[in-house]
Amino acid sequence: AGRPEATYTIERIMDIVAAELGLDPVEVRRHNFVKTWEFPFKSTGGLTYDSGNYEAALDKAQSLASWDRLLRDRDAARRHGKLCGVGLSTYVEICSFGPSSMMSAGGWEWGSVRIEMSGRVTVITGATPHGQGQETSFAQLAADKLGVPMTDVVVMRGDTAVAHYGRDTYGSRATVIGGTAILMCIDRIIAKARKLAAHLLKAKEKAVVFQD
């Protein structure tokens, strides 16, 4: 798991087994799931899966997709000479690579947040989204955390002139790790704002609350 080609190969084998034995492809997958009582489960590849309930996830996916109806619609279409199929893929993938022993280069991500003189917010990320929509996600994070309109947040990325460090985007990690870097920046801004506000208000810093 974790590589598209490996996932495709395993899924294809499952379908071949189902076809050869005349079994339901869903049930072949269900039969090969790690059971809830088998966790923690160590795979032949050496990875340990700490927890999971794959059968319940598949049951929910089938329910949400109205699985039986999909199959009936497929069969009806085929009877009328139309090419129609229903696909299924089940896999577990390591995502959101962060600082850990698995990341030889550290797994960190870089971010910077500035409150400009105008009161607007500039967010700079070392991640380089290419279509995932994380410019929007990062703007939402900053707007929610700082209590400003999203229209007052500018997100910059992908330019070494402004984002001096970064780990790129891969492994479903940019929002989780890059977003966390941005939140950590905002935590520091809020801490500094409380200190300055306490000074201006001639109050104790712990008496100052950041809200609204």
Side-chain angles (χ1 to χ4, degrees), residues 175-188:
T175 300
V176 178
I177 311 301
T180 299
I182 290 165
L183 290 177
M184 291 173 71
C185 291
I186 295 173
D187 285 340
R188 292 190 177 190

Side-chain angles (χ1 to χ4, degrees), residues 20 42 50 53 58 61 68 75 88 90 102 131 168 172 180 192 201 204:
E20 288 287 334
K42 188 170 183 178
D50 58 0
N53 191 338
L58 180 56
D68 291 338
D75 294 342
L88 175 72
T90 58
M102 290 193 64
D168 205 357
S172 303
T180 299
K192 185 176 181 180
L201 295 170
K204 291 185 177 180

Side-chain angles (χ1 to χ4, degrees), residues 56-127:
L58 180 56
D59 289 341
K60 185 172 183 179
Q62 286 187 283
S63 175
L64 290 171
S66 301
W67 186 257
D68 291 338
R69 191 186 69 193
L70 281 176
L71 297 182
R72 289 196 300 271
D73 291 346
R74 177 201 63 188
D75 294 342
R78 288 179 176 179
R79 285 195 296 271
H80 288 85
K82 295 181 179 179
L83 294 174
C84 183
V86 177
L88 175 72
S89 176
T90 58
Y91 72 99
V92 178
E93 183 179 15
I94 301 172
C95 296
S96 306
F97 298 98
S100 72
S101 59
M102 290 193 64
M103 294 292 289
S104 58
W108 52 268
E109 191 48 80
W110 181 87
S112 172
V113 179
R114 295 198 303 257
I115 307 296
E116 307 293 355
M117 293 291 288
S118 63
R120 296 195 172 186
V121 181
T122 299
V123 173
I124 309 172
T125 177

Side-chain angles (χ1 to χ4, degrees), residues 41-59:
F41 179 84
K42 188 170 183 178
S43 72
T44 54
L47 294 176
T48 298
Y49 294 74
D50 58 0
S51 61
N53 191 338
Y54 305 144
E55 291 191 62
L58 180 56
D59 289 341

